[in-house]
PDB file of all heavy atoms in Angstrom:
ATOM      1  N   TYR A 391     -51.991  12.319 -48.996  1.00  0.00           N
ATOM      2  CA  TYR A 391     -51.275  13.595 -49.146  1.00  0.00           C
ATOM      3  C   TYR A 391     -49.802  13.321 -49.283  1.00  0.00           C
ATOM      4  O   TYR A 391     -49.272  12.376 -48.816  1.00  0.00           O
ATOM      5  CB  TYR A 391     -51.551  14.498 -47.979  1.00  0.00           C
ATOM      6  CG  TYR A 391     -53.009  14.842 -47.748  1.00  0.00           C
ATOM      7  CD1 TYR A 391     -53.741  14.116 -46.848  1.00  0.00           C
ATOM      8  CD2 TYR A 391     -53.612  15.907 -48.447  1.00  0.00           C
ATOM      9  CE1 TYR A 391     -55.099  14.394 -46.640  1.00  0.00           C
ATOM     10  CE2 TYR A 391     -54.894  16.188 -48.202  1.00  0.00           C
ATOM     11  CZ  TYR A 391     -55.652  15.470 -47.302  1.00  0.00           C
ATOM     12  OH  TYR A 391     -56.981  15.734 -47.109  1.00  0.00           O
ATOM     13  N   LEU A 392     -49.121  14.285 -49.935  1.00  0.00           N
ATOM     14  CA  LEU A 392     -47.691  14.317 -49.925  1.00  0.00           C
ATOM     15  C   LEU A 392     -47.263  15.732 -49.565  1.00  0.00           C
ATOM     16  O   LEU A 392     -47.387  16.641 -50.372  1.00  0.00           O
ATOM     17  CB  LEU A 392     -47.122  13.947 -51.304  1.00  0.00           C
ATOM     18  CG  LEU A 392     -45.575  13.858 -51.374  1.00  0.00           C
ATOM     19  CD1 LEU A 392     -45.099  12.692 -50.517  1.00  0.00           C
ATOM     20  CD2 LEU A 392     -45.093  13.723 -52.807  1.00  0.00           C
ATOM     21  N   GLN A 393     -46.782  15.866 -48.318  1.00  0.00           N
ATOM     22  CA  GLN A 393     -46.264  17.158 -47.844  1.00  0.00           C
ATOM     23  C   GLN A 393     -44.807  17.224 -48.252  1.00  0.00           C
ATOM     24  O   GLN A 393     -43.984  16.410 -47.844  1.00  0.00           O
ATOM     25  CB  GLN A 393     -46.415  17.262 -46.371  1.00  0.00           C
ATOM     26  CG  GLN A 393     -45.759  18.520 -45.733  1.00  0.00           C
ATOM     27  CD  GLN A 393     -46.393  19.785 -46.169  1.00  0.00           C
ATOM     28  OE1 GLN A 393     -47.617  19.897 -46.142  1.00  0.00           O
ATOM     29  NE2 GLN A 393     -45.590  20.781 -46.566  1.00  0.00           N
ATOM     30  N   MET A 394     -44.473  18.231 -49.002  1.00  0.00           N
ATOM     31  CA  MET A 394     -43.083  18.402 -49.513  1.00  0.00           C
ATOM     32  C   MET A 394     -42.479  19.694 -48.973  1.00  0.00           C
ATOM     33  O   MET A 394     -43.028  20.765 -49.166  1.00  0.00           O
ATOM     34  CB  MET A 394     -43.051  18.423 -51.045  1.00  0.00           C
ATOM     35  CG  MET A 394     -43.678  17.190 -51.707  1.00  0.00           C
ATOM     36  SD  MET A 394     -43.497  17.134 -53.479  1.00  0.00           S
ATOM     37  CE  MET A 394     -44.540  18.569 -53.937  1.00  0.00           C
ATOM     38  N   ASN A 395     -41.398  19.544 -48.281  1.00  0.00           N
ATOM     39  CA  ASN A 395     -40.697  20.674 -47.706  1.00  0.00           C
ATOM     40  C   ASN A 395     -39.283  20.813 -48.279  1.00  0.00           C
ATOM     41  O   ASN A 395     -38.745  19.848 -48.798  1.00  0.00           O
ATOM     42  CB  ASN A 395     -40.604  20.544 -46.167  1.00  0.00           C
ATOM     43  CG  ASN A 395     -41.962  20.470 -45.469  1.00  0.00           C
ATOM     44  OD1 ASN A 395     -42.874  21.208 -45.826  1.00  0.00           O
ATOM     45  ND2 ASN A 395     -42.074  19.646 -44.455  1.00  0.00           N
ATOM     46  N   ASP A 396     -38.685  21.974 -48.108  1.00  0.00           N
ATOM     47  CA  ASP A 396     -37.346  22.222 -48.578  1.00  0.00           C
ATOM     48  C   ASP A 396     -37.201  21.813 -50.042  1.00  0.00           C
ATOM     49  O   ASP A 396     -36.242  21.075 -50.393  1.00  0.00           O
ATOM     50  CB  ASP A 396     -36.332  21.523 -47.696  1.00  0.00           C
ATOM     51  CG  ASP A 396     -34.878  21.931 -47.927  1.00  0.00           C
ATOM     52  OD1 ASP A 396     -34.699  23.065 -48.417  1.00  0.00           O
ATOM     53  OD2 ASP A 396     -33.980  21.154 -47.668  1.00  0.00           O
ATOM     54  N   LEU A 397     -38.052  22.242 -50.865  1.00  0.00           N
ATOM     55  CA  LEU A 397     -38.058  21.858 -52.276  1.00  0.00           C
ATOM     56  C   LEU A 397     -36.823  22.439 -52.998  1.00  0.00           C
ATOM     57  O   LEU A 397     -36.366  23.530 -52.709  1.00  0.00           O
ATOM     58  CB  LEU A 397     -39.355  22.318 -52.952  1.00  0.00           C
ATOM     59  CG  LEU A 397     -40.573  21.483 -52.546  1.00  0.00           C
ATOM     60  CD1 LEU A 397     -41.865  22.188 -52.933  1.00  0.00           C
ATOM     61  CD2 LEU A 397     -40.478  20.131 -53.278  1.00  0.00           C
ATOM     62  N   LYS A 398     -36.369  21.655 -53.959  1.00  0.00           N
ATOM     63  CA  LYS A 398     -35.205  21.992 -54.734  1.00  0.00           C
ATOM     64  C   LYS A 398     -35.531  21.958 -56.191  1.00  0.00           C
ATOM     65  O   LYS A 398     -36.504  21.266 -56.600  1.00  0.00           O
ATOM     66  CB  LYS A 398     -34.038  20.990 -54.466  1.00  0.00           C
ATOM     67  CG  LYS A 398     -33.697  20.925 -52.945  1.00  0.00           C
ATOM     68  CD  LYS A 398     -32.689  19.821 -52.707  1.00  0.00           C
ATOM     69  CE  LYS A 398     -32.345  19.706 -51.216  1.00  0.00           C
ATOM     70  NZ  LYS A 398     -31.380  18.648 -50.930  1.00  0.00           N
ATOM     71  N   PRO A 399     -34.739  22.644 -57.060  1.00  0.00           N
ATOM     72  CA  PRO A 399     -35.050  22.585 -58.497  1.00  0.00           C
ATOM     73  C   PRO A 399     -35.109  21.152 -59.048  1.00  0.00           C
ATOM     74  O   PRO A 399     -35.919  20.900 -59.959  1.00  0.00           O
ATOM     75  CB  PRO A 399     -33.862  23.361 -59.096  1.00  0.00           C
ATOM     76  CG  PRO A 399     -33.501  24.323 -58.029  1.00  0.00           C
ATOM     77  CD  PRO A 399     -33.701  23.585 -56.750  1.00  0.00           C
ATOM     78  N   GLU A 400     -34.314  20.241 -58.536  1.00  0.00           N
ATOM     79  CA  GLU A 400     -34.335  18.885 -58.987  1.00  0.00           C
ATOM     80  C   GLU A 400     -35.628  18.141 -58.633  1.00  0.00           C
ATOM     81  O   GLU A 400     -35.852  17.006 -59.091  1.00  0.00           O
ATOM     82  CB  GLU A 400     -33.132  18.078 -58.510  1.00  0.00           C
ATOM     83  CG  GLU A 400     -32.942  18.167 -56.981  1.00  0.00           C
ATOM     84  CD  GLU A 400     -31.901  19.217 -56.589  1.00  0.00           C
ATOM     85  OE1 GLU A 400     -31.946  20.311 -57.162  1.00  0.00           O
ATOM     86  OE2 GLU A 400     -31.055  18.889 -55.735  1.00  0.00           O
ATOM     87  N   ASP A 401     -36.469  18.724 -57.805  1.00  0.00           N
ATOM     88  CA  ASP A 401     -37.766  18.149 -57.472  1.00  0.00           C
ATOM     89  C   ASP A 401     -38.814  18.494 -58.532  1.00  0.00           C
ATOM     90  O   ASP A 401     -39.927  17.973 -58.509  1.00  0.00           O
ATOM     91  CB  ASP A 401     -38.291  18.650 -56.144  1.00  0.00           C
ATOM     92  CG  ASP A 401     -37.428  18.186 -54.961  1.00  0.00           C
ATOM     93  OD1 ASP A 401     -36.998  16.997 -54.947  1.00  0.00           O
ATOM     94  OD2 ASP A 401     -37.174  18.974 -54.070  1.00  0.00           O
ATOM     95  N   THR A 402     -38.487  19.353 -59.472  1.00  0.00           N
ATOM     96  CA  THR A 402     -39.383  19.686 -60.586  1.00  0.00           C
ATOM     97  C   THR A 402     -39.734  18.457 -61.401  1.00  0.00           C
ATOM     98  O   THR A 402     -38.876  17.775 -61.891  1.00  0.00           O
ATOM     99  CB  THR A 402     -38.766  20.767 -61.505  1.00  0.00           C
ATOM    100  OG1 THR A 402     -38.545  21.960 -60.723  1.00  0.00           O
ATOM    101  CG2 THR A 402     -39.665  21.082 -62.661  1.00  0.00           C
ATOM    102  N   ALA A 403     -41.038  18.159 -61.469  1.00  0.00           N
ATOM    103  CA  ALA A 403     -41.533  16.981 -62.125  1.00  0.00           C
ATOM    104  C   ALA A 403     -43.051  16.952 -62.148  1.00  0.00           C
ATOM    105  O   ALA A 403     -43.647  17.751 -61.497  1.00  0.00           O
ATOM    106  CB  ALA A 403     -40.967  15.720 -61.467  1.00  0.00           C
ATOM    107  N   ILE A 404     -43.550  16.054 -62.924  1.00  0.00           N
ATOM    108  CA  ILE A 404     -45.012  15.731 -62.809  1.00  0.00           C
ATOM    109  C   ILE A 404     -45.094  14.634 -61.712  1.00  0.00           C
ATOM    110  O   ILE A 404     -44.454  13.601 -61.810  1.00  0.00           O
ATOM    111  CB  ILE A 404     -45.574  15.218 -64.143  1.00  0.00           C
ATOM    112  CG1 ILE A 404     -45.441  16.305 -65.171  1.00  0.00           C
ATOM    113  CG2 ILE A 404     -47.045  14.887 -63.926  1.00  0.00           C
ATOM    114  CD1 ILE A 404     -45.952  15.887 -66.584  1.00  0.00           C
ATOM    115  N   TYR A 405     -45.944  14.893 -60.754  1.00  0.00           N
ATOM    116  CA  TYR A 405     -46.118  13.971 -59.635  1.00  0.00           C
ATOM    117  C   TYR A 405     -47.434  13.181 -59.855  1.00  0.00           C
ATOM    118  O   TYR A 405     -48.434  13.763 -60.115  1.00  0.00           O
ATOM    119  CB  TYR A 405     -46.146  14.687 -58.304  1.00  0.00           C
ATOM    120  CG  TYR A 405     -44.774  15.130 -57.838  1.00  0.00           C
ATOM    121  CD1 TYR A 405     -44.120  16.154 -58.499  1.00  0.00           C
ATOM    122  CD2 TYR A 405     -44.166  14.488 -56.807  1.00  0.00           C
ATOM    123  CE1 TYR A 405     -42.810  16.512 -58.133  1.00  0.00           C
ATOM    124  CE2 TYR A 405     -42.867  14.844 -56.416  1.00  0.00           C
ATOM    125  CZ  TYR A 405     -42.195  15.890 -57.056  1.00  0.00           C
ATOM    126  OH  TYR A 405     -40.947  16.229 -56.625  1.00  0.00           O
ATOM    127  N   TYR A 406     -47.311  11.853 -59.727  1.00  0.00           N
ATOM    128  CA  TYR A 406     -48.397  10.973 -59.995  1.00  0.00           C
ATOM    129  C   TYR A 406     -48.800  10.181 -58.758  1.00  0.00           C
ATOM    130  O   TYR A 406     -47.937   9.694 -58.010  1.00  0.00           O
ATOM    131  CB  TYR A 406     -48.094   9.933 -61.106  1.00  0.00           C
ATOM    132  CG  TYR A 406     -47.838  10.552 -62.432  1.00  0.00           C
ATOM    133  CD1 TYR A 406     -46.535  10.856 -62.829  1.00  0.00           C
ATOM    134  CD2 TYR A 406     -48.865  10.733 -63.331  1.00  0.00           C
ATOM    135  CE1 TYR A 406     -46.274  11.371 -64.070  1.00  0.00           C
ATOM    136  CE2 TYR A 406     -48.588  11.280 -64.583  1.00  0.00           C
ATOM    137  CZ  TYR A 406     -47.320  11.570 -64.918  1.00  0.00           C
ATOM    138  OH  TYR A 406     -47.041  12.075 -66.184  1.00  0.00           O
ATOM    139  N   CYS A 407     -50.093  10.053 -58.496  1.00  0.00           N
ATOM    140  CA  CYS A 407     -50.638   9.204 -57.475  1.00  0.00           C
ATOM    141  C   CYS A 407     -50.953   7.827 -58.175  1.00  0.00           C
ATOM    142  O   CYS A 407     -51.440   7.799 -59.294  1.00  0.00           O
ATOM    143  CB  CYS A 407     -51.914   9.810 -56.897  1.00  0.00           C
ATOM    144  SG  CYS A 407     -52.694   8.809 -55.614  1.00  0.00           S
ATOM    145  N   ALA A 408     -50.667   6.739 -57.462  1.00  0.00           N
ATOM    146  CA  ALA A 408     -50.927   5.408 -58.037  1.00  0.00           C
ATOM    147  C   ALA A 408     -51.438   4.462 -56.942  1.00  0.00           C
ATOM    148  O   ALA A 408     -51.242   4.662 -55.737  1.00  0.00           O
ATOM    149  CB  ALA A 408     -49.608   4.856 -58.595  1.00  0.00           C
ATOM    150  N   VAL A 409     -52.149   3.408 -57.434  1.00  0.00           N
ATOM    151  CA  VAL A 409     -52.746   2.415 -56.553  1.00  0.00           C
ATOM    152  C   VAL A 409     -52.193   1.023 -56.864  1.00  0.00           C
ATOM    153  O   VAL A 409     -52.094   0.622 -58.005  1.00  0.00           O
ATOM    154  CB  VAL A 409     -54.308   2.364 -56.720  1.00  0.00           C
ATOM    155  CG1 VAL A 409     -54.855   1.217 -55.952  1.00  0.00           C
ATOM    156  CG2 VAL A 409     -54.877   3.690 -56.236  1.00  0.00           C
ATOM    157  N   LEU A 410     -51.801   0.323 -55.803  1.00  0.00           N
ATOM    158  CA  LEU A 410     -51.279  -1.039 -55.897  1.00  0.00           C
ATOM    159  C   LEU A 410     -52.336  -2.019 -55.429  1.00  0.00           C
ATOM    160  O   LEU A 410     -52.680  -1.996 -54.230  1.00  0.00           O
ATOM    161  CB  LEU A 410     -49.993  -1.180 -55.077  1.00  0.00           C
ATOM    162  CG  LEU A 410     -49.311  -2.510 -55.099  1.00  0.00           C
ATOM    163  CD1 LEU A 410     -48.743  -2.816 -56.449  1.00  0.00           C
ATOM    164  CD2 LEU A 410     -48.197  -2.562 -54.044  1.00  0.00           C
ATOM    165  N   THR A 411     -52.869  -2.854 -56.322  1.00  0.00           N
ATOM    166  CA  THR A 411     -54.006  -3.710 -55.954  1.00  0.00           C
ATOM    167  C   THR A 411     -53.520  -5.164 -55.657  1.00  0.00           C
ATOM    168  O   THR A 411     -54.362  -5.955 -55.177  1.00  0.00           O
ATOM    169  CB  THR A 411     -55.048  -3.770 -57.048  1.00  0.00           C
ATOM    170  OG1 THR A 411     -54.438  -4.199 -58.303  1.00  0.00           O
ATOM    171  CG2 THR A 411     -55.692  -2.387 -57.257  1.00  0.00           C
ATOM    172  N   SER A 412     -52.327  -5.502 -55.906  1.00  0.00           N
ATOM    173  CA  SER A 412     -51.794  -6.812 -55.635  1.00  0.00           C
ATOM    174  C   SER A 412     -51.468  -6.944 -54.116  1.00  0.00           C
ATOM    175  O   SER A 412     -51.621  -6.025 -53.390  1.00  0.00           O
ATOM    176  CB  SER A 412     -50.551  -7.128 -56.463  1.00  0.00           C
ATOM    177  OG  SER A 412     -49.447  -6.366 -55.967  1.00  0.00           O
ATOM    178  N   GLY A 413     -51.042  -8.127 -53.754  1.00  0.00           N
ATOM    179  CA  GLY A 413     -50.706  -8.398 -52.395  1.00  0.00           C
ATOM    180  C   GLY A 413     -49.248  -8.063 -52.049  1.00  0.00           C
ATOM    181  O   GLY A 413     -48.765  -8.447 -50.950  1.00  0.00           O
ATOM    182  N   LEU A 414     -48.584  -7.397 -52.944  1.00  0.00           N
ATOM    183  CA  LEU A 414     -47.185  -7.039 -52.728  1.00  0.00           C
ATOM    184  C   LEU A 414     -47.039  -6.001 -51.584  1.00  0.00           C
ATOM    185  O   LEU A 414     -47.995  -5.319 -51.270  1.00  0.00           O
ATOM    186  CB  LEU A 414     -46.578  -6.501 -53.986  1.00  0.00           C
ATOM    187  CG  LEU A 414     -46.517  -7.418 -55.217  1.00  0.00           C
ATOM    188  CD1 LEU A 414     -46.017  -6.693 -56.443  1.00  0.00           C
ATOM    189  CD2 LEU A 414     -45.675  -8.655 -54.901  1.00  0.00           C
ATOM    190  N   GLY A 415     -45.851  -5.916 -51.087  1.00  0.00           N
ATOM    191  CA  GLY A 415     -45.517  -4.906 -50.103  1.00  0.00           C
ATOM    192  C   GLY A 415     -45.299  -3.573 -50.757  1.00  0.00           C
ATOM    193  O   GLY A 415     -45.820  -3.273 -51.860  1.00  0.00           O
ATOM    194  N   ALA A 416     -44.524  -2.751 -50.125  1.00  0.00           N
ATOM    195  CA  ALA A 416     -44.243  -1.388 -50.587  1.00  0.00           C
ATOM    196  C   ALA A 416     -43.406  -1.440 -51.859  1.00  0.00           C
ATOM    197  O   ALA A 416     -42.177  -1.293 -51.802  1.00  0.00           O
ATOM    198  CB  ALA A 416     -43.594  -0.579 -49.500  1.00  0.00           C
ATOM    199  N   SER A 417     -44.009  -1.537 -53.020  1.00  0.00           N
ATOM    200  CA  SER A 417     -43.279  -1.650 -54.308  1.00  0.00           C
ATOM    201  C   SER A 417     -42.841  -0.272 -54.738  1.00  0.00           C
ATOM    202  O   SER A 417     -43.488   0.745 -54.542  1.00  0.00           O
ATOM    203  CB  SER A 417     -44.226  -2.241 -55.349  1.00  0.00           C
ATOM    204  OG  SER A 417     -43.566  -2.217 -56.586  1.00  0.00           O
ATOM    205  N   GLU A 418     -41.646  -0.275 -55.319  1.00  0.00           N
ATOM    206  CA  GLU A 418     -41.069   0.917 -55.913  1.00  0.00           C
ATOM    207  C   GLU A 418     -41.069   0.875 -57.426  1.00  0.00           C
ATOM    208  O   GLU A 418     -40.514   1.704 -58.135  1.00  0.00           O
ATOM    209  CB  GLU A 418     -39.652   1.173 -55.415  1.00  0.00           C
ATOM    210  CG  GLU A 418     -39.574   1.334 -53.889  1.00  0.00           C
ATOM    211  CD  GLU A 418     -38.143   1.595 -53.433  1.00  0.00           C
ATOM    212  OE1 GLU A 418     -37.225   1.717 -54.251  1.00  0.00           O
ATOM    213  OE2 GLU A 418     -37.951   1.713 -52.193  1.00  0.00           O
ATOM    214  N   VAL A 419     -41.715  -0.149 -57.985  1.00  0.00           N
ATOM    215  CA  VAL A 419     -41.748  -0.434 -59.439  1.00  0.00           C
ATOM    216  C   VAL A 419     -43.043   0.048 -60.035  1.00  0.00           C
ATOM    217  O   VAL A 419     -44.117  -0.424 -59.734  1.00  0.00           O
ATOM    218  CB  VAL A 419     -41.531  -1.906 -59.686  1.00  0.00           C
ATOM    219  CG1 VAL A 419     -41.477  -2.168 -61.191  1.00  0.00           C
ATOM    220  CG2 VAL A 419     -40.288  -2.429 -58.985  1.00  0.00           C
ATOM    221  N   PRO A 420     -42.967   1.051 -60.967  1.00  0.00           N
ATOM    222  CA  PRO A 420     -44.213   1.598 -61.556  1.00  0.00           C
ATOM    223  C   PRO A 420     -45.100   0.538 -62.198  1.00  0.00           C
ATOM    224  O   PRO A 420     -46.324   0.634 -62.069  1.00  0.00           O
ATOM    225  CB  PRO A 420     -43.636   2.604 -62.567  1.00  0.00           C
ATOM    226  CG  PRO A 420     -42.336   3.000 -62.046  1.00  0.00           C
ATOM    227  CD  PRO A 420     -41.774   1.782 -61.385  1.00  0.00           C
ATOM    228  N   SER A 421     -44.500  -0.466 -62.849  1.00  0.00           N
ATOM    229  CA  SER A 421     -45.289  -1.489 -63.560  1.00  0.00           C
ATOM    230  C   SER A 421     -46.124  -2.340 -62.662  1.00  0.00           C
ATOM    231  O   SER A 421     -47.042  -3.039 -63.085  1.00  0.00           O
ATOM    232  CB  SER A 421     -44.416  -2.329 -64.414  1.00  0.00           C
ATOM    233  OG  SER A 421     -43.480  -3.080 -63.633  1.00  0.00           O
ATOM    234  N   GLU A 422     -45.835  -2.356 -61.346  1.00  0.00           N
ATOM    235  CA  GLU A 422     -46.566  -3.098 -60.394  1.00  0.00           C
ATOM    236  C   GLU A 422     -47.917  -2.466 -60.022  1.00  0.00           C
ATOM    237  O   GLU A 422     -48.780  -3.103 -59.425  1.00  0.00           O
ATOM    238  CB  GLU A 422     -45.752  -3.364 -59.147  1.00  0.00           C
ATOM    239  CG  GLU A 422     -44.502  -4.182 -59.351  1.00  0.00           C
ATOM    240  CD  GLU A 422     -44.806  -5.637 -59.673  1.00  0.00           C
ATOM    241  OE1 GLU A 422     -45.925  -6.112 -59.377  1.00  0.00           O
ATOM    242  OE2 GLU A 422     -43.945  -6.361 -60.178  1.00  0.00           O
ATOM    243  N   TYR A 423     -48.038  -1.195 -60.313  1.00  0.00           N
ATOM    244  CA  TYR A 423     -49.245  -0.411 -59.890  1.00  0.00           C
ATOM    245  C   TYR A 423     -50.314  -0.504 -60.990  1.00  0.00           C
ATOM    246  O   TYR A 423     -50.040  -0.435 -62.200  1.00  0.00           O
ATOM    247  CB  TYR A 423     -48.881   1.045 -59.600  1.00  0.00           C
ATOM    248  CG  TYR A 423     -48.142   1.150 -58.293  1.00  0.00           C
ATOM    249  CD1 TYR A 423     -46.790   0.773 -58.215  1.00  0.00           C
ATOM    250  CD2 TYR A 423     -48.824   1.584 -57.153  1.00  0.00           C
ATOM    251  CE1 TYR A 423     -46.137   0.892 -56.978  1.00  0.00           C
ATOM    252  CE2 TYR A 423     -48.178   1.683 -55.964  1.00  0.00           C
ATOM    253  CZ  TYR A 423     -46.845   1.311 -55.829  1.00  0.00           C
ATOM    254  OH  TYR A 423     -46.158   1.411 -54.630  1.00  0.00           O
ATOM    255  N   SER A 424     -51.553  -0.613 -60.525  1.00  0.00           N
ATOM    256  CA  SER A 424     -52.677  -0.897 -61.416  1.00  0.00           C
ATOM    257  C   SER A 424     -53.346   0.344 -61.927  1.00  0.00           C
ATOM    258  O   SER A 424     -53.830   0.418 -63.082  1.00  0.00           O
ATOM    259  CB  SER A 424     -53.733  -1.739 -60.701  1.00  0.00           C
ATOM    260  OG  SER A 424     -53.196  -3.020 -60.298  1.00  0.00           O
TER     261      SER A 424
END
């Protein structure tokens, strides 16, 4: 889940769920997700 509070206009976007199958840590890079 992603609980979002105090939403602002700049939060407007398409939100995507993704899965990381490698042994990496908490990656912030989209290309790392499978």
Side-chain angles (χ1 to χ4, degrees):
Y391 302 94
L392 183 68
Q393 173 67 46
M394 303 186 293
N395 299 321
D396 191 26
L397 285 163
K398 305 173 182 179
E400 52 262 43
D401 294 318
T402 295
I404 300 175
Y405 284 71
Y406 296 93
C407 180
V409 173
L410 182 67
T411 57
S412 73
L414 299 175
S417 176
E418 300 181 4
V419 182
S421 63
E422 296 290 341
Y423 286 77
S424 299

